[in-house]
Each structure stands twice: as C-alpha cells, then as structure tokens.
Amino acid sequence: QVQLVESGGGSVQAGGSLRLSCAVSGYIASRFYMGWFRQAPGKEREGVASIYLRGVSTYYTYYAESVKGRFTISQDSAKNTLYLQMSSLKPEDTAMYYCAADRRIPSTVQGIRAADFGYWGQGTQVTVSS
C-alpha cells in the first residue's frame, strides 16, 4: 500500500526558507511521477512543482510560474523521499502543502494537474508572516 507522509512545514517570516519532505512507502519514489501542491483557504488546489525520472539519472522538473527561481523539487532515492526546498518565501505562499504521486509517467507535462496524481499525502501547513 502506497503511503505519502509530509513533514517540514511551519511558520516563517517573509524572506525565510523551509524544506518540505515527503516520505514514500510501498513503492519506489523514483519510479513515480511526483509533485507538490498547495491549497490556501478559499482557493483551489494549485500545482507547485513536479518531477519524474527518465532513464538512469535524468530528472525532469516543472514549476508553477509563481514559484520559479524560489522553489526546488528533488528526490533522494536512497531515502525514498521527495523534497521541496522553498526560499524567499512570501506571505502568499501560505497554504497547506500536499505531496502527490502516480505510477503513470507523463509523455509530456502540460501543467501540474491534480488529476494526474492518484496518491496523496495528508498535507503540512506552511505559514509565512510579513
């Protein structure tokens, strides 16, 4: 049974950094298409970043325009864990952040879409104060 468990959320001041982790069990994370989403109160869930592995060591990554240059998605195969390094955080980054995964690797990525992911974690809260 696949399980995704997020950690690393918290409260930080604007301009600060946080690293979110998503521990994967029940499957090999590097074989998944994986992503991070966020949802703020009263807003729709938004795709933040996604990643997949092609071949032995070529990772493809995608980012929402709102986080490009500030967030970095990565995987640690040895730990079977997905990460989201967040820097230069802004109050508008405040949201519940969710890890997501799917066994289907996309042939192309036209946006980071929730419909492309079948497994979800419970979320970790990130709060950025001004």
Side-chain angles (χ1 to χ4, degrees):
Q1 182 178 359
V2 174
Q3 286 191 319
L4 309 177
V5 179
E6 303 97 334
S7 61
S11 296
V12 64
Q13 288 193 327
S17 299
L18 282 173
R19 188 178 77 160
L20 305 183
S21 300
C22 173
V24 180
S25 60
Y27 200 69
I28 298 173
S30 60
R31 294 184 182 176
F32 271 144
Y33 175 44
M34 297 201 72
W36 287 98
F37 288 77
R38 66 187 181 187
Q39 188 166 19
K43 294 189 176 181
E44 292 187 356
R45 190 167 293 194
E46 173 192 19
V48 174
S50 67
I51 185 170
Y52 65 90
L53 175 67
R54 280 238 189 261
V56 176
S57 59
T58 302
Y59 285 95
Y60 290 83
T61 58
Y62 301 87
Y63 297 92
E65 285 297 325
S66 58
V67 306
K68 275 184 181 178
R70 300 189 299 122
F71 291 10
T72 301
I73 188 171
S74 63
Q75 283 184 335
D76 185 328
S77 297
K79 296 183 178 179
N80 217 35
T81 299
L82 178 74
Y83 298 101
L84 185 68
Q85 177 67 47
M86 305 185 295
S87 302
S88 302
L89 282 162
K90 305 175 181 180
E92 51 263 43
D93 294 319
T94 295
M96 184 72 78
Y97 282 72
Y98 298 90
C99 171
D102 202 90
R103 299 173 191 263
R104 297 166 297 176
I105 304 297
S107 54
T108 60
V109 174
Q110 302 293 334
I112 305 164
R113 306 179 308 175
D116 290 336
F117 296 88
Y119 300 104
W120 292 84
Q122 293 300 305
T124 185
Q125 178 67 37
V126 172
T127 302
V128 184
S129 58
S130 58

XYZ file of all heavy atoms in Angstrom, residues 31-104:
608
model
N 10.367 5.893 -9.278
C 9.569 5.343 -10.377
C 8.231 6.060 -10.527
O 7.484 5.797 -11.470
C 9.334 3.846 -10.168
C 10.605 3.030 -10.253
C 10.313 1.550 -10.137
N 11.534 0.752 -10.173
C 11.558 -0.561 -10.007
N 10.434 -1.218 -9.792
N 12.689 -1.211 -10.057
N 7.927 6.924 -9.590
C 6.693 7.692 -9.618
C 6.866 8.981 -10.408
O 7.975 9.508 -10.530
C 6.293 8.130 -8.213
C 5.438 7.166 -7.448
C 5.605 7.033 -6.074
C 4.434 6.434 -8.051
C 4.805 6.184 -5.328
C 3.641 5.581 -7.324
C 3.829 5.456 -5.956
N 5.780 9.505 -10.894
C 5.671 10.919 -11.226
C 5.214 11.570 -9.918
O 4.203 11.158 -9.364
C 4.655 11.117 -12.328
C 4.360 12.563 -12.683
C 5.380 13.497 -12.817
C 3.054 12.973 -12.927
C 5.112 14.802 -13.170
C 2.771 14.280 -13.287
C 3.803 15.197 -13.401
O 3.540 16.484 -13.757
N 5.972 12.526 -9.407
C 5.653 13.097 -8.105
C 5.516 14.611 -8.177
O 6.128 15.255 -9.048
C 6.732 12.731 -7.082
C 6.836 11.240 -6.823
S 7.612 10.841 -5.258
C 6.317 11.327 -4.101
N 4.752 15.150 -7.259
C 4.546 16.580 -7.275
C 4.188 17.146 -5.919
O 3.890 16.406 -4.973
N 4.253 18.448 -5.843
C 3.799 19.202 -4.677
C 2.664 20.128 -5.103
O 2.760 20.793 -6.141
C 4.935 20.045 -4.092
C 5.976 19.259 -3.370
C 7.186 18.848 -3.855
C 5.912 18.796 -2.027
N 7.864 18.147 -2.896
C 7.111 18.105 -1.760
C 4.968 18.888 -1.005
C 7.384 17.513 -0.528
C 5.232 18.303 0.214
C 6.433 17.631 0.454
N 1.648 20.156 -4.280
C 0.518 21.043 -4.486
C 0.313 21.868 -3.228
O 0.801 21.505 -2.157
C -0.758 20.228 -4.773
C -0.767 19.593 -6.124
C -0.020 18.445 -6.374
C -1.507 20.138 -7.162
C -0.008 17.855 -7.634
C -1.504 19.552 -8.416
C -0.753 18.416 -8.642
N -0.431 22.934 -3.347
C -0.788 23.712 -2.177
C -2.216 24.226 -2.313
O -2.721 24.391 -3.402
C 0.178 24.873 -1.965
C 0.146 25.942 -3.041
C 1.267 26.953 -2.800
N 1.277 28.022 -3.799
C 2.219 28.943 -3.883
N 3.242 28.943 -3.032
N 2.147 29.900 -4.807
N -2.811 24.446 -1.145
C -4.165 24.975 -1.135
C -4.312 25.943 0.026
O -4.127 25.559 1.188
C -5.197 23.857 -1.020
C -6.621 24.330 -1.197
C -7.587 23.188 -1.426
O -7.301 22.034 -1.132
N -8.743 23.496 -1.986
N -4.615 27.171 -0.313
C -4.871 28.196 0.690
C -6.368 28.245 0.977
O -7.176 27.844 0.135
C -4.371 29.545 0.198
N -6.757 28.733 2.136
C -8.181 28.806 2.476
C -8.965 29.588 1.425
O -8.556 30.674 1.017
C -8.183 29.531 3.821
C -6.863 29.215 4.420
C -5.910 29.169 3.259
N -10.049 28.994 0.956
C -10.901 29.649 -0.013
C -10.387 29.625 -1.439
O -10.992 30.222 -2.328
N -9.278 28.922 -1.662
C -8.704 28.867 -3.007
C -8.636 27.428 -3.486
O -8.677 26.485 -2.698
C -7.316 29.497 -3.023
C -7.313 30.998 -2.747
C -5.933 31.594 -2.986
C -5.954 33.098 -2.800
N -4.614 33.695 -3.064
N -8.497 27.278 -4.807
C -8.360 25.951 -5.380
C -6.952 25.403 -5.153
O -6.003 26.165 -4.955
C -8.654 26.002 -6.882
C -10.098 26.308 -7.208
C -10.385 26.174 -8.693
O -9.444 25.915 -9.469
O -11.557 26.318 -9.079
N -6.852 24.075 -5.189
C -5.545 23.451 -5.077
C -4.703 23.811 -6.290
O -5.163 23.736 -7.427
C -5.705 21.934 -4.953
C -4.438 21.212 -4.594
C -4.723 19.786 -4.181
N -5.473 19.725 -2.928
C -5.626 18.618 -2.211
N -5.075 17.483 -2.628
N -6.330 18.633 -1.101
N -3.463 24.174 -6.035
C -2.556 24.658 -7.088
C -1.330 23.762 -7.188
O -0.707 23.434 -6.177
C -2.101 26.094 -6.747
C -1.048 26.662 -7.654
C -0.432 27.950 -7.118
O -0.550 28.224 -5.913
O 0.181 28.676 -7.922
N -0.991 23.366 -8.398
C 0.235 22.607 -8.602
C 1.439 23.512 -8.471
O 1.495 24.562 -9.102
N 2.398 23.114 -7.650
C 3.571 23.944 -7.367
C 4.785 23.457 -8.147
O 5.487 24.255 -8.767
C 3.875 23.928 -5.859
C 5.175 24.671 -5.567
C 2.724 24.537 -5.070
N 5.042 22.156 -8.094
C 6.221 21.605 -8.758
C 6.005 20.116 -8.979
O 5.259 19.470 -8.241
C 7.476 21.827 -7.919
N 6.657 19.581 -10.000
C 6.585 18.144 -10.230
C 7.912 17.641 -10.766
O 8.739 18.421 -11.263
C 5.445 17.784 -11.183
O 5.695 18.278 -12.477
N 8.101 16.317 -10.683
C 9.374 15.727 -11.075
C 9.160 14.289 -11.509
O 8.297 13.576 -10.975
C 10.371 15.790 -9.886
C 11.762 15.306 -10.283
C 9.848 14.986 -8.697
C 12.828 15.585 -9.205
N 9.924 13.847 -12.503
C 9.971 12.431 -12.815
C 11.337 12.094 -13.382
O 12.067 12.966 -13.856
C 8.845 12.009 -13.752
C 8.880 12.608 -15.137
C 9.570 11.970 -16.183
C 8.212 13.781 -15.433
C 9.591 12.508 -17.449
C 8.228 14.325 -16.698
C 8.911 13.687 -17.704
O 8.933 14.220 -18.963
N 11.653 10.816 -13.325
C 12.942 10.311 -13.751
C 12.779 9.583 -15.082
O 11.891 8.741 -15.238
C 13.504 9.345 -12.700
C 14.803 8.614 -13.037
C 15.955 9.603 -13.127
C 15.087 7.550 -11.981
N 13.647 9.908 -16.038
C 13.699 9.166 -17.301
C 15.091 8.543 -17.394
O 16.098 9.219 -17.151
C 13.489 10.101 -18.485
C 12.047 10.428 -18.728
C 11.607 10.027 -20.124
N 10.270 10.542 -20.407
C 9.182 9.818 -20.302
N 9.274 8.570 -19.905
N 8.005 10.337 -20.574
N 15.105 7.255 -17.719
C 16.386 6.580 -17.809
C 16.989 6.383 -16.429
O 16.280 6.212 -15.443
N 18.289 6.441 -16.361
C 19.000 6.143 -15.116
C 19.080 7.360 -14.207
O 18.913 7.244 -12.983
C 20.419 5.621 -15.429
C 21.206 5.391 -14.144
C 20.344 4.342 -16.262
N 19.333 8.531 -14.793
C 19.618 9.657 -13.900
C 19.133 11.005 -14.416
O 19.562 12.038 -13.904
C 21.128 9.735 -13.652
O 21.809 9.913 -14.880
N 18.250 11.026 -15.395
C 17.775 12.303 -15.924
C 16.426 12.650 -15.303
O 15.422 11.982 -15.559
C 17.643 12.249 -17.449
O 18.906 11.923 -18.017
C 17.170 13.604 -17.974
N 16.426 13.676 -14.472
C 15.193 14.140 -13.834
C 14.623 15.316 -14.616
O 15.349 16.232 -15.010
C 15.460 14.582 -12.391
C 15.657 13.432 -11.439
C 16.923 12.955 -11.129
C 14.556 12.825 -10.845
C 17.088 11.900 -10.258
C 14.716 11.768 -9.962
C 15.986 11.310 -9.675
O 16.145 10.266 -8.808
N 13.335 15.285 -14.821
C 12.620 16.393 -15.426
C 11.807 17.073 -14.333
O 11.090 16.400 -13.581
C 11.705 15.897 -16.542
C 12.463 15.415 -17.753
C 12.994 14.127 -17.807
C 12.660 16.251 -18.853
C 13.710 13.695 -18.911
C 13.370 15.822 -19.964
C 13.891 14.540 -19.985
O 14.596 14.110 -21.079
N 11.940 18.391 -14.258
C 11.228 19.137 -13.228
C 10.386 20.243 -13.856
O 10.745 20.787 -14.906
C 12.197 19.760 -12.207
O 13.114 20.618 -12.905
C 12.981 18.692 -11.467
N 9.287 20.560 -13.197
C 8.362 21.581 -13.669
C 7.924 22.412 -12.474
O 7.779 21.890 -11.359
C 7.152 20.925 -14.337
C 7.536 20.053 -15.496
C 7.887 18.720 -15.295
C 7.603 20.558 -16.788
C 8.289 17.915 -16.352
C 7.995 19.757 -17.850
C 8.337 18.439 -17.619
O 8.733 17.652 -18.673
N 7.705 23.695 -12.730
C 7.343 24.612 -11.664
C 6.215 25.549 -12.099
O 6.149 25.955 -13.260
C 8.551 25.471 -11.249
C 9.685 24.680 -10.676
C 10.718 24.216 -11.478
C 9.722 24.376 -9.316
C 11.760 23.474 -10.953
C 10.763 23.639 -8.771
C 11.772 23.191 -9.602
O 12.797 22.448 -9.061
N 5.387 25.903 -11.130
C 4.431 26.971 -11.374
C 5.202 28.280 -11.514
O 6.252 28.461 -10.887
C 3.450 27.061 -10.211
N 4.670 29.181 -12.333
C 5.348 30.459 -12.555
C 5.554 31.219 -11.248
O 6.556 31.903 -11.065
C 4.534 31.309 -13.528
C 4.619 30.875 -14.971
C 6.031 30.980 -15.545
O 6.752 31.937 -15.149
O 6.410 30.123 -16.357
N 4.628 31.060 -10.337
C 4.669 31.825 -9.082
C 5.817 31.411 -8.162
O 6.164 32.152 -7.237
C 3.347 31.667 -8.334
O 3.079 30.302 -8.068
N 6.422 30.244 -8.422
C 7.490 29.774 -7.538
C 8.820 29.568 -8.257
O 9.823 29.239 -7.612
C 7.094 28.460 -6.823
C 5.775 28.630 -6.095
C 7.048 27.286 -7.785
N 8.847 29.766 -9.563
C 10.091 29.563 -10.310
C 11.198 30.450 -9.767
O 10.994 31.630 -9.501
C 9.870 29.878 -11.791
C 9.327 28.727 -12.602
C 9.220 29.092 -14.073
C 8.655 27.943 -14.865
N 8.484 28.293 -16.301
N 12.362 29.855 -9.591
C 13.502 30.594 -9.070
C 13.554 30.657 -7.549
O 14.567 31.064 -6.983
N 12.459 30.251 -6.888
C 12.430 30.277 -5.424
C 12.300 28.875 -4.821
O 12.819 28.625 -3.730
C 11.246 31.128 -4.943
C 11.288 32.568 -5.397
C 10.211 33.395 -4.715
N 8.862 32.927 -5.002
C 7.996 32.544 -4.083
N 8.319 32.543 -2.801
N 6.773 32.150 -4.446
N 11.614 27.975 -5.512
C 11.407 26.617 -5.013
C 12.186 25.632 -5.858
O 12.332 25.815 -7.069
C 9.925 26.240 -5.074
C 9.026 26.977 -4.109
C 9.469 28.071 -3.367
C 7.716 26.559 -3.941
C 8.639 28.729 -2.496
C 6.861 27.207 -3.067
C 7.332 28.304 -2.340
N 12.637 24.553 -5.211
C 13.334 23.483 -5.927
C 12.792 22.138 -5.467
O 12.781 21.846 -4.262
C 14.844 23.538 -5.651
O 15.359 24.809 -6.063
C 15.567 22.442 -6.437
N 12.367 21.335 -6.424
C 11.888 19.989 -6.126
C 13.010 18.998 -6.410
O 13.761 19.154 -7.369
C 10.623 19.654 -6.957
C 9.997 18.337 -6.503
C 10.937 19.636 -8.458
C 8.636 18.068 -7.141
N 13.118 17.991 -5.553
C 14.174 16.990 -5.736
C 13.759 15.693 -5.066
O 12.812 15.647 -4.284
C 15.503 17.493 -5.156
O 15.390 17.687 -3.757
N 14.507 14.638 -5.407
C 14.286 13.325 -4.805
C 15.586 12.775 -4.262
O 16.655 13.029 -4.818
C 13.736 12.348 -5.842
C 12.290 12.495 -6.185
C 11.818 11.407 -7.144
O 12.607 10.852 -7.888
N 10.530 11.122 -7.126
N 15.474 12.011 -3.192
C 16.609 11.255 -2.666
C 16.228 9.782 -2.775
O 15.398 9.287 -2.006
C 16.886 11.641 -1.217
C 18.129 10.965 -0.658
O 18.435 9.815 -1.080
O 18.797 11.567 0.189
N 16.824 9.102 -3.747
C 16.456 7.710 -3.978
C 16.799 6.825 -2.792
O 16.061 5.901 -2.456
C 17.171 7.192 -5.227
O 16.761 7.914 -6.361
N 17.926 7.098 -2.166
C 18.352 6.267 -1.033
C 17.356 6.355 0.127
O 17.143 5.383 0.854
C 19.738 6.692 -0.578
N 16.742 7.520 0.297
C 15.785 7.711 1.384
C 14.340 7.556 0.922
O 13.422 7.666 1.730
C 15.982 9.094 2.012
C 17.339 9.265 2.675
C 17.464 10.626 3.337
C 18.810 10.767 4.035
N 18.980 12.093 4.684
N 14.165 7.330 -0.384
C 12.812 7.198 -0.938
C 11.945 8.387 -0.531
O 10.794 8.231 -0.093
C 12.153 5.894 -0.490
C 11.297 5.279 -1.576
O 11.621 5.370 -2.760
N 10.202 4.663 -1.190
N 12.508 9.558 -0.693
C 11.869 10.778 -0.194
C 11.893 11.876 -1.244
O 12.878 12.016 -1.989
C 12.585 11.263 1.080
O 12.480 10.246 2.091
C 11.978 12.548 1.606
N 10.803 12.623 -1.291
C 10.676 13.792 -2.155
C 10.850 15.031 -1.295
O 10.410 15.042 -0.138
C 9.290 13.802 -2.813
C 8.947 14.982 -3.713
C 9.695 14.856 -5.043
C 7.445 15.048 -3.949
N 11.473 16.056 -1.867
C 11.686 17.299 -1.132
C 11.154 18.494 -1.917
O 11.047 18.462 -3.141
C 13.176 17.519 -0.864
C 13.821 16.464 -0.030
C 14.596 15.471 -0.625
C 13.654 16.441 1.343
C 15.197 14.482 0.142
C 14.253 15.453 2.121
C 15.018 14.489 1.517
O 15.604 13.508 2.272
N 10.854 19.543 -1.179
C 10.578 20.844 -1.785
C 11.324 21.883 -0.962
O 10.955 22.164 0.178
C 9.090 21.162 -1.818
C 8.729 22.459 -2.540
C 9.004 22.324 -4.054
C 7.269 22.846 -2.313
N 12.405 22.397 -1.529
C 13.156 23.464 -0.878
C 12.520 24.784 -1.276
O 12.424 25.095 -2.461
C 14.616 23.419 -1.314
C 15.458 24.538 -0.728
C 15.630 24.416 0.773
O 15.947 23.350 1.299
N 15.410 25.515 1.482
N 12.096 25.540 -0.273
C 11.408 26.808 -0.532
C 12.238 27.943 0.043
O 12.566 27.926 1.241
C 10.018 26.788 0.112
C 9.161 25.613 -0.316
S 7.488 25.673 0.335
C 7.817 25.510 2.088
N 12.556 28.901 -0.787
C 13.351 30.051 -0.360
C 12.621 31.334 -0.743
O 11.686 31.316 -1.536
C 14.723 30.013 -1.037
O 15.397 28.813 -0.745
N 13.082 32.444 -0.168
C 12.462 33.753 -0.430
C 10.952 33.668 -0.291
O 10.200 34.156 -1.148
C 12.846 34.236 -1.836
O 14.247 34.332 -1.962
N 10.518 33.078 0.789
C 9.083 32.850 0.981
C 8.330 34.161 1.135
O 8.844 35.140 1.694
C 8.861 31.961 2.195
C 9.135 30.468 1.938
C 9.334 29.719 3.241
C 8.016 29.859 1.128
N 7.109 34.146 0.613
C 6.238 35.317 0.640
C 4.950 34.963 1.397
O 4.569 33.784 1.452
C 5.877 35.727 -0.790
C 7.060 35.981 -1.685
C 6.601 36.260 -3.110
C 7.770 36.486 -4.037
N 7.327 36.763 -5.430
N 4.272 35.952 1.937
C 3.005 35.657 2.624
C 2.019 34.898 1.734
O 1.263 34.062 2.233
C 2.483 37.044 2.987
C 3.722 37.873 3.159
C 4.663 37.361 2.108
N 2.048 35.157 0.433
C 1.133 34.461 -0.480
C 1.493 32.998 -0.679
O 0.747 32.250 -1.321
C 1.051 35.179 -1.831
C 2.373 35.474 -2.475
C 2.849 36.897 -2.190
O 2.732 37.361 -1.026
O 3.355 37.535 -3.143
N 2.616 32.552 -0.142
C 2.965 31.132 -0.166
C 2.284 30.365 0.969
O 2.369 29.136 1.025
C 4.475 30.943 -0.047
C 5.231 31.475 -1.250
O 4.757 31.279 -2.383
O 6.294 32.095 -1.033
N 1.618 31.073 1.849
C 0.922 30.437 2.969
C -0.167 29.506 2.450
O -1.026 29.923 1.667
C 0.311 31.497 3.890
O 1.361 32.254 4.492
C -0.544 30.849 4.979
N -0.103 28.250 2.854
C -1.062 27.248 2.381
C -0.771 25.911 3.047
O 0.269 25.745 3.691
C -0.960 27.085 0.861
N -1.685 24.979 2.851
C -1.406 23.581 3.170
C -0.723 22.992 1.939
O -1.219 23.140 0.824
C -2.697 22.828 3.471
C -2.484 21.397 3.903
S -1.797 21.287 5.562
C -3.286 21.593 6.526
N 0.399 22.349 2.156
C 1.167 21.765 1.062
C 0.997 20.253 1.070
O 1.150 19.604 2.120
C 2.641 22.137 1.191
C 2.919 23.545 0.740
C 2.509 24.633 1.499
C 3.586 23.795 -0.463
C 2.741 25.939 1.079
C 3.827 25.096 -0.891
C 3.394 26.152 -0.110
O 3.632 27.443 -0.525
N 0.723 19.710 -0.114
C 0.470 18.284 -0.269
C 1.470 17.656 -1.224
O 1.790 18.226 -2.271
C -0.929 18.043 -0.828
C -2.047 18.543 0.047
C -2.540 19.827 -0.094
C -2.615 17.721 1.025
C -3.576 20.288 0.703
C -3.648 18.176 1.823
C -4.113 19.457 1.660
O -5.138 19.914 2.460
N 1.901 16.475 -0.872
C 2.715 15.644 -1.742
C 1.784 14.728 -2.529
O 0.780 14.251 -1.988
C 3.665 14.833 -0.862
S 4.606 13.557 -1.687
N 2.111 14.480 -3.791
C 1.284 13.627 -4.629
C 2.159 12.754 -5.508
O 3.304 13.124 -5.817
C 0.350 14.470 -5.490
N 1.618 11.608 -5.910
C 2.390 10.673 -6.732
C 1.471 9.879 -7.645
O 0.274 9.721 -7.369
C 3.191 9.726 -5.836
N 2.047 9.368 -8.715
C 1.296 8.483 -9.606
C 2.273 7.576 -10.335
O 3.400 7.987 -10.645
C 0.459 9.271 -10.602
C -0.678 8.454 -11.155
O -1.771 8.471 -10.560
O -0.455 7.754 -12.175
N 1.829 6.355 -10.611
C 2.689 5.401 -11.321
C 2.844 5.759 -12.799
O 3.783 5.316 -13.448
C 2.111 3.998 -11.202
C 1.995 3.483 -9.774
C 1.256 2.159 -9.737
N 0.908 1.765 -8.370
C 1.633 0.921 -7.649
N 2.711 0.370 -8.152
N 1.253 0.611 -6.420
N 1.916 6.524 -13.329
C 1.968 6.870 -14.755
C 2.923 8.040 -14.946
O 2.720 9.125 -14.403
C 0.576 7.223 -15.265
C -0.424 6.092 -15.190
C -1.829 6.612 -15.381
N -2.210 7.545 -14.304
C -3.352 8.191 -14.270
N -4.228 8.062 -15.254
N -3.638 9.008 -13.266
